[in-house]
Amino acid sequence: MQRLSTAIAKNVIHHGHVLGPNSQIIQTLRPPYDVFINHRGAETKRSIAGLLHNFLSLLGLRPFLDSRSMMPGDKLFDEIDAAIYGCKVGVAVFSPRYCESRFCLHELALLMETKKRVIPIFCDVKPSQLQVMDDLKHSANHLERYRHALEEAKNTDGLSFYSSNGDWSKLVRDASDAVIHSLLEAEDEKP
């Protein structure tokens, strides 16, 4: 095992990369993702998040969706944080119980703090209904980060969808178009 990690470290250094914490090594060894899909799995993994991941993959993009992009043994926060740092665009799929998830809020805060382009999708929820509750599960610091990120997302033009009367294929097309548009803009802004 030591021999393998030494070989990997030499290879990483050889290619001009700085060796750092495990997340940086993982990010270096795996190609970066184009799009990070932030969602509450129990509510949207088998609907919009999964459909969007599939469609973006068919278009030749590299979307990150935790259940499809991670491997057994991966460190949850290391992989997710590396995917966020490496992506160009984030899609935040807001659902009725989204704000109850510490993971969702952490991912959203990191997307906003790293100044990624974020496309909000409000699925079965209005932006005004989304609130981070002070339920003593979050430190004051985290609570402030989460609230700030959520407000920023709520004040970003996004897509609204209601599953009771919405057209899933139109939502996937519209979301994919928004992702592609944001990727092109991000590419144009590169120095």
Side-chain angles (χ1 to χ4, degrees):
M1 186 66 172
Q2 178 62 29
R3 185 179 228 186
L4 179 59
S5 15
T6 304
I8 290 172
K10 285 180 182 175
N11 190 33
V12 171
I13 292 169
H14 174 72
H15 287 95
H17 299 290
V18 177
L19 202 53
N22 288 342
S23 63
Q24 289 175 330
I25 293 171
I26 290 169
Q27 186 176 357
T28 303
L29 296 177
R30 290 185 185 169
Y33 294 95
D34 298 305
V35 184
F36 184 91
I37 302 173
N38 165 252
H39 69 293
R40 180 157 171 101
E43 295 178 306
T44 61
K45 189 178 302 290
R46 290 187 284 155
S47 58
I48 184 57
L51 292 169
L52 184 59
H53 178 275
N54 289 348
F55 195 75
L56 293 172
S57 295
L58 288 172
L59 293 175
L61 298 174
R62 286 187 39 88
F64 179 93
L65 184 64
D66 55 0
S67 62
R68 300 192 186 168
S69 303
M70 293 182 61
M71 310 274 249
D74 284 347
K75 303 281 188 223
L76 189 62
F77 281 109
D78 287 349
E79 280 297 309
I80 287 172
D81 289 0
I84 290 171
Y85 281 113
C87 78
K88 298 174 188 108
V89 173
V91 174
V93 181
F94 295 104
S95 54
R97 297 185 62 201
Y98 175 95
C99 291
E100 294 174 20
S101 169
R102 175 175 69 103
F103 294 104
C104 289
L105 295 169
H106 166 78
E107 293 167 7
L108 180 65
L110 194 54
L111 282 164
M112 294 303 190
E113 291 162 356
T114 56
K115 306 289 187 212
K116 303 297 179 180
R117 294 172 174 274
V118 176
I119 300 161
I121 299 175
F122 302 100
C123 192
D124 294 325
V125 67
K126 294 177 184 173
S128 61
Q129 294 173 303
L130 296 167
Q131 294 182 25
V132 179
M133 304 305 288
D134 187 0
D135 55 8
L136 305 177
K137 292 181 184 176
H138 312 292
S139 70
N141 233 11
H142 284 123
L143 197 58
E144 183 60 31
R145 284 181 65 224
Y146 300 159
R147 285 182 173 157
H148 178 74
L150 186 60
E151 283 306 309
E152 194 174 340
K154 288 166 47 173
N155 290 315
T156 302
D157 192 27
L159 302 169
S160 292
F161 180 80
Y162 290 92
S163 57
S164 60
N165 62 356
D167 180 344
W168 287 101
S169 60
K170 182 179 181 334
L171 175 62
V172 171
R173 275 193 319 273
D174 291 348
S176 298
D177 288 349
V179 166
I180 291 167
H181 179 76
S182 291
L183 285 170
L184 291 171
E185 282 185 349
E187 194 63 35
D188 286 346
E189 290 174 359
K190 275 184 159 177

